[in-house]
Amino acid sequence: MTMHRTLIGLLASLTLLGACDSASNPAASSTSRVTVKLTDAPAALASAQVQIKQIYLTGGADSASSRVVLFDGDQTYDLLDLQSGLTADLANISIPAGTYGQLRLVVGDVSLTTLDGQTYSTADGSLKCPSCGQSGLKINLPHGALDLTSPAEVVVLDFDVAQSFGHKAGMSGNWVMHPVINASDLEVTGSIAGTVALADSVALPDCGGDSVQLSAFQPTATSAALNLTGTVDATGKLLFPFVPAGDYTMAQDSVVFANGDVLRFTAAATPAQLSVTSGSEATVDYTISDAVCTAATPAA
């Protein structure tokens, strides 16, 4: 089971259509319609349930008086249903146009179920979220702010489950959640597609108490500001569906299973660096030359 650096690859994605704070932009007098969608990057889990209570924008000062609320309620989503380009609509609202300094997501109960059937939840304390609080989770905004001045703009929020969950808190048996959520303007995103294949005479070892498929491979695309996780299906087809325009270095992550086993890949990406432009699809192909499973160290 892979639990690494992101909860923006649960490929959760949020789409926002135009928003702005007249307080931070006094000249703004028009409105912009904001649509919010949720997507997720992949993770080796059975489910990842997240209760979303509120989504709001601020002009930079994180105080209740400056909030522009996009969604207020209780809605629970299984982030694993929102992968490979699938999204859920969270909000569709007209607000004052302008530039907003922060976008925040307030979550309630969160629970994850591993592939071996173990469930961890914030409700019973078996899942910890040190960064969760009443002020909400801070979203990584493109260019450090959300400049929403057109009548309708689309921003994708990727709730990356693979990077958000998975580090056990010492020997307590608990899981820790450090949410990673990235936002991008849908109109200026592209995608990355390609393949993952084994080199001649290379076989994937058993790990995590079971056989390993190509879908366990976790490709990453890293820029100066973002670290994205892609999906791989059982045939080796690779996809990063919502990728902000920019230059990326392609690599991969190790896989941490529920029983503590770690699977590390040696792989070459061709090309190792690529550029994504608005509305385009960049391609990359990985060849796995080695895969090693390190068994979990038994508790003392």
Side-chain angles (χ1 to χ4, degrees):
M1 176 193 68
T2 302
M3 303 278 103
H4 71 288
R5 300 181 312 274
T6 18
L7 185 42
I8 181 223
L10 250 145
L11 204 227
S13 136
L14 293 171
T15 303
L16 282 108
L17 295 174
C20 258
D21 188 345
S22 57
S24 64
N25 185 358
S29 58
S30 62
T31 61
S32 195
R33 177 155 290 275
V34 179
T35 299
V36 180
K37 295 181 182 285
L38 181 65
T39 194
D40 173 39
L45 288 172
S47 72
Q49 302 277 339
V50 176
Q51 180 188 36
I52 297 176
K53 299 178 73 67
Q54 190 177 79
I55 304 166
Y56 67 92
L57 290 160
T58 74
D62 187 16
S63 62
S65 61
S66 68
R67 293 184 183 185
V68 176
V69 177
L70 306 178
F71 169 81
D72 195 11
D74 290 317
Q75 195 77 18
T76 299
Y77 298 89
D78 188 339
L79 298 178
L80 300 190
D81 292 336
L82 305 174
Q83 297 183 3
S84 301
L86 297 178
T87 63
D89 293 338
L90 298 184
N92 189 346
I93 185 172
S94 291
I95 64 174
T99 299
Y100 290 94
Q102 291 189 21
L103 171 64
R104 287 184 175 265
L105 183 71
V106 180
V107 301
D109 292 336
V110 180
S111 66
L112 67 88
T113 302
T114 63
L115 294 178
D116 62 359
Q118 298 296 312
T119 297
Y120 302 86
S121 173
T122 54
D124 63 15
S126 57
L127 174 63
K128 305 296 184 182
C129 184
S131 60
C132 293
Q134 292 184 349
S135 63
L137 304 173
K138 184 177 180 181
I139 309 302
N140 299 321
L141 294 174
H143 313 297
L146 205 54
D147 187 13
L148 304 173
T149 54
S150 67
E153 296 191 20
V154 178
V155 176
V156 175
L157 272 186
D158 182 0
F159 202 138
D160 194 329
V161 171
Q163 294 190 43
S164 297
F165 290 109
H167 301 287
K168 287 187 176 180
M171 300 304 295
S172 67
N174 295 333
W175 288 91
V176 177
M177 171 183 168
H178 294 289
V180 177
I181 309 173
N182 297 313
S184 60
D185 188 334
L186 185 61
E187 293 184 356
V188 295
T189 61
S191 61
I192 301 172
T195 61
V196 177
L198 297 172
D200 291 344
S201 74
V202 174
L204 296 177
D206 291 350
C207 203
D210 204 349
S211 59
V212 173
Q213 308 299 320
L214 279 176
S215 55
F217 186 81
Q218 292 203 331
T220 61
T222 304
S223 68
L226 294 174
N227 189 4
L228 306 177
T229 307
T231 63
V232 178
D233 68 14
T235 68
K237 182 180 178 181
L238 173 154
L239 179 64
F240 293 78
F242 300 112
V243 181
D247 297 328
Y248 292 87
T249 298
M250 307 305 297
Q252 67 278 338
D253 276 331
S254 57
V255 181
V256 181
F257 292 87
N259 68 351
D261 289 357
V262 180
L263 179 61
R264 294 180 174 85
F265 294 96
T266 301
T270 305
Q273 284 83 34
L274 54 78
S275 295
V276 175
T277 58
S278 176
S280 71
E281 180 179 88
T283 59
V284 62
D285 296 309
Y286 283 84
T287 301
I288 299 173
S289 58
D290 195 18
V292 177
C293 181
T294 301
T297 303

